[in-house]
Amino acid sequence: MKKSLFFVLAVLITTAAFAQSRVTGKVTSSEDGSPLPFVTILIQGERGLGANSDIDGNFVIERCPSDAILVLSYVGFTTIQVPVEGRSVLNITMSPDALALEEVMVVAYGTARKGTYTGAASVVKSDAIKDVSTLSFENALSGKVAGMQISTNSGQAGAVSSIRVRGIGSMNASNEPLYVIDGVPVTSGNTGQMSGYIYSTNNVMSTLNPQDIESITVLKDAAASALYGSRAANGVILVTTKTGRLGRPVASPEQQVELYYENFWNAGKYDGKTDQASSASALSQLNKRFNKHGYYFTADDHTVNSLKILGMTDGQENREGKYYNWDDVLFRTAIYQTYDLSVSGASDRTSYYSSLSYTKEQGRSTVNDFSRIAGRVNVNQKVGKLIEFNTNVNIARNVQHGFNDTRSTGSNYFMQSRNLLWPLYWPTDYKTGAPWTNGKTNPMCCVYQPMKH
């Protein structure tokens, strides 16, 4: 019995010895193969267990589980996870975090890459504050910048918060940071803290709409003084507002479909439905409207993030990824042209003028145009000293095609085409390729038919 117990203990000790072993290795950069010193190497799930690489990038971890996962992190490099898988030697390569190093931040009267700026600065993008319901952007910064103290001084509606970037440095002077909006320094609040400044409930920063902000950079150390002098003693908050971006000023058909989906999804959530039920209801609304035009919609995770616009496969044409360009069909580059010919002359007793002209004007819409051909003859003839004959003849023919767009605006398909969802409506059936005529021969009705199906 004692021998059996000794054998079991020996097996357990041997198993434990194999379960944990000594792991060594080296950490290098993927750019040039240089060693990375002082990399933090932790064992996932084992709090406080791990090591740091030395000046040459070498590291040693004692008693490392054979199935452990090592988490390596280093400033300016992407954090990675490396499974040990029973190995005793690990040579690991880390890649620079290009996004973090190349991030452009606004600094004083220009910009700098985050990787090259040597001062203490924090950048807050518009995405971090866009969903925060607050009157002033100062309140939206709470918890976004390390070391920044934000406190509310008043319960008055519309009151702004007090911000301390570098603490309280003076009893008499202001401790507010310098605010710079698009490169222009602005004065915010009172200048003295002992003269009612603490109870100030309004300042110029409350006039700035948080939704107009593109990014906020907070300069916290002495490097800010080199940029703005003594005014930067309490720190600097640089606000950059939004500017125009390349692209269309309106939503695309895909974005409009997403808004359509979200509208029905929110309606379902308002009625107490689950995410899955709300998504099913929203997809049903979309499919009911657009299945007949060759599209169907799915959302795998029941949110707008996975919404897909797919093409029906039971017809002659698969419209997935394609939309009908109504602008090319309904509108054109209008051309105006006119031609004139005139002949005139006179003598002591006779004068004449004759002309012939042709004018054609195209409207912006393809069905609107106007043409005119006109001729004129003016003759003046004197007969003796007392009689004079005058003849004025004008002949013209006007031809006008199109419609009066000041009437029946609700059924005006040129106006309807401004609808962002209109590209999903096609003038032809995706199953047969035939026009939507419903037996009507009027081409205007044919164009408008998809909206009525």
Side-chain angles (χ1 to χ4, degrees):
M1 182 68 181
K2 290 184 179 180
K3 291 183 179 180
S4 299
L5 180 60
F6 176 79
F7 176 76
V8 171
L9 291 175
V11 170
L12 292 176
I13 294 174
T14 304
T15 302
F18 279 106
Q20 290 187 340
S21 61
R22 187 172 185 264
V23 175
T24 63
K26 186 174 184 178
V27 185
T28 57
S29 172
S30 62
E31 284 191 323
D32 53 8
S34 60
L36 297 180
F38 313 118
V39 175
T40 300
I41 306 170
L42 298 176
I43 300 176
Q44 190 178 62
E46 300 291 338
R47 185 175 181 180
L49 296 181
N52 291 324
S53 62
D54 59 19
I55 193 67
D56 296 321
N58 299 314
F59 68 92
V60 177
I61 301 178
E62 303 288 350
R63 296 186 302 277
C64 179
S66 59
D67 60 347
I69 296 178
L70 303 183
V71 181
L72 288 80
S73 58
Y74 191 63
V75 176
F77 284 73
T78 303
T79 299
I80 60 174
Q81 296 181 358
V82 179
V84 175
E85 298 178 341
R87 293 173 292 178
S88 59
V89 178
L90 293 175
N91 292 320
I92 303 172
T93 301
M94 298 185 68
S95 301
D97 188 351
L99 182 62
L101 293 177
E102 296 300 319
E103 181 180 3
V104 176
M105 54 188 292
V106 177
V107 180
Y109 303 104
T111 60
R113 288 186 173 87
K114 192 172 183 180
T116 62
Y117 184 72
T118 57
S122 298
V123 179
V124 180
K125 297 295 185 181
S126 58
D127 293 342
I129 63 176
K130 68 177 182 179
D131 295 327
V132 180
S133 179
T134 179
L135 174 70
S136 174
F137 81 93
E138 299 159 291
N139 297 327
L141 292 178
S142 180
K144 303 293 192 301
V145 179
M148 178 183 288
Q149 301 175 359
I150 302 177
S151 58
T152 302
N153 297 323
S154 171
Q156 179 184 357
V160 296
S161 300
S162 173
I163 293 182
R164 297 292 179 267
V165 176
R166 304 182 65 185
I168 299 177
S170 174
M171 291 297 295
N172 296 321
S174 172
N175 290 289
E176 284 286 312
L178 173 66
Y179 294 96
V180 180
I181 302 177
D182 291 332
V184 180
V186 298
T187 302
S188 178
N190 297 332
T191 58
Q193 187 164 320
M194 301 296 291
S195 58
Y197 169 79
I198 294 179
Y199 305 102
S200 175
T201 59
N202 193 16
N203 62 24
V204 70
M205 302 315 299
S206 63
T207 63
L208 191 62
N209 180 11
Q211 299 303 318
D212 292 338
I213 297 176
E214 179 67 29
S215 66
I216 300 172
T217 302
V218 182
L219 307 180
K220 296 177 285 188
D221 63 351
S225 300
L227 302 172
Y228 290 100
S230 60
R231 292 182 299 174
N234 299 320
V236 181
I237 296 180
L238 303 170
V239 179
T240 304
T241 58
K242 295 179 179 179
T243 58
R245 295 181 178 179
L246 183 64
R248 299 178 61 183
V250 296
S252 65
E254 295 91 340
Q255 293 171 325
Q256 182 70 3
V257 169
E258 291 177 357
L259 294 175
Y260 210 23
Y261 172 87
E262 286 185 321
N263 180 52
F264 290 114
W265 191 90
N266 291 332
K269 292 297 290 184
Y270 182 79
D271 290 338
K273 296 180 180 179
T274 63
D275 290 354
Q276 184 174 359
S278 299
S279 178
S281 176
L283 292 174
S284 174
Q285 294 289 344
L286 289 171
N287 287 315
K288 180 173 66 175
R289 286 163 172 78
F290 298 109
N291 279 169
K292 62 179 64 69
H293 297 293
Y295 300 97
Y296 75 97
F297 307 84
T298 63
D300 296 337
D301 65 357
H302 313 303
T303 69
V304 70
N305 297 327
S306 62
L307 180 63
K308 296 180 180 178
I309 305 176
L310 305 175
M312 304 288 284
T313 58
D314 58 341
Q316 293 185 354
E317 182 181 3
N318 190 328
R319 293 175 176 173
E320 183 173 330
K322 298 184 294 183
Y323 304 99
Y324 196 78
N325 191 338
W326 286 98
D327 282 350
D328 286 349
V329 177
L330 299 180
F331 299 96
R332 64 186 172 188
T333 301
I335 299 176
Y336 173 84
Q337 52 186 324
T338 182
Y339 306 94
D340 295 294
L341 175 64
S342 63
V343 178
S344 62
S347 64
D348 293 341
R349 306 188 65 82
T350 304
S351 64
Y352 62 91
Y353 173 86
S354 63
S355 69
L356 181 66
S357 69
Y358 173 75
T359 300
K360 184 175 183 180
E361 180 183 10
Q362 294 180 340
R364 178 73 175 90
S365 60
T366 56
V367 298
N368 283 351
D369 59 66
F370 172 82
S371 64
R372 178 185 66 212
I373 183 170
R376 174 174 291 277
V377 176
N378 296 340
V379 178
N380 183 281
Q381 179 67 48
K382 291 182 180 181
V383 180
K385 295 182 178 180
L386 301 177
I387 300 175
E388 182 176 335
F389 294 97
N390 291 320
T391 302
N392 293 330
V393 179
N394 180 62
I395 300 176
R397 182 175 185 269
N398 295 345
V399 178
Q400 185 178 28
H401 295 105
F403 65 97
N404 186 347
D405 57 4
T406 63
R407 298 184 179 181
S408 188
T409 57
S411 60
N412 185 340
Y413 47 89
F414 290 95
M415 182 174 295
Q416 290 288 341
S417 67
R418 302 300 91 193
N419 186 332
L420 297 179
L421 287 175
W422 187 267
L424 275 72
Y425 295 98
W426 289 61
T428 56
D429 189 337
Y430 81 96
K431 292 184 178 181
T432 64
W436 292 104
T437 60
N438 267 3
K440 298 180 180 180
T441 58
N442 188 336
M444 293 185 183
C445 294
C446 297
V447 171
Y448 187 64
Q449 283 304 314
M451 290 295 292
K452 297 184 178 180
H453 283 276

